[in-house]
Amino acid sequence: MELTLNWKEDLNFEGSNPSGQSVYISNERDEQGNRTGFSPIHLLALGLGSCTAMDVISILQKKKQAVEDFEVKVSYERRDEHPTIWTSANIEYIATGKGIDPSALERSIQLSVEKYCAAHAMLSKAVDITTSFQVIESE
């Protein structure tokens, strides 16, 4: 697998995959202080979150859980000195639906982080990653 980064200007890059999809990557901020693109560390967190999210939702679907909405939040703490590596991270899973079994969600998360998610397997060797979850009953 080969991904490509093309420098646009200053600290702005366009990343693309072999299929031609792209993402804008930047450490710059606009006049209001908002980022103009995804930072590299944000992409790392999104990669971790999306890797495990795909596993968990796939397992829940195989378990015939009636998931109507699914959200994954990745939070992390970083040290102050450079390199500002993660010192800890948490992945929170929020499943909304009718009659979702919390133990099914918990087991799906366990399978993802212990067996399937390559991003978790790599990053957990360098940082303590915890998980949390909640089930919301839909109306």
Side-chain angles (χ1 to χ4, degrees), residues 9-29:
E9 64 180 348
D10 301 322
L11 295 178
N12 303 305
F13 293 82
E14 181 179 26
S16 59
N17 66 15
S19 299
Q21 290 94 11
S22 63
V23 62
Y24 189 70
I25 305 162
S26 176
N27 259 347
E28 294 189 350
R29 297 180 185 271

Side-chain angles (χ1 to χ4, degrees), residues 9-13 24-30 33-43 76 78 82 84:
E9 64 180 348
D10 301 322
L11 295 178
N12 303 305
F13 293 82
Y24 189 70
I25 305 162
S26 176
N27 259 347
E28 294 189 350
R29 297 180 185 271
D30 63 18
N34 300 314
R35 289 194 178 275
T36 58
F38 286 100
S39 75
I41 202 74
H42 290 163
L43 287 175
Y76 55 86
R78 295 171 76 175
H82 288 280
T84 56

Side-chain angles (χ1 to χ4, degrees), residues 37-98:
F38 286 100
S39 75
I41 202 74
H42 290 163
L43 287 175
L44 186 63
L46 286 174
L48 171 61
S50 60
C51 179
T52 186
M54 289 179 189
D55 293 338
V56 172
I57 197 68
S58 174
I59 295 166
L60 287 172
Q61 289 171 338
K62 288 176 185 164
K63 291 177 176 280
K64 308 270 191 249
Q65 297 297 298
V67 178
E68 298 168 4
D69 190 46
F70 185 64
E71 183 176 18
V72 175
K73 297 179 180 182
V74 179
S75 58
Y76 55 86
E77 298 291 325
R78 295 171 76 175
R79 71 180 189 179
D80 292 331
E81 56 276 346
H82 288 280
T84 56
I85 60 171
W86 293 357
T87 55
S88 64
N90 183 70
I91 307 168
E92 180 183 11
Y93 305 82
I94 305 164
T96 302
K98 293 188 186 329

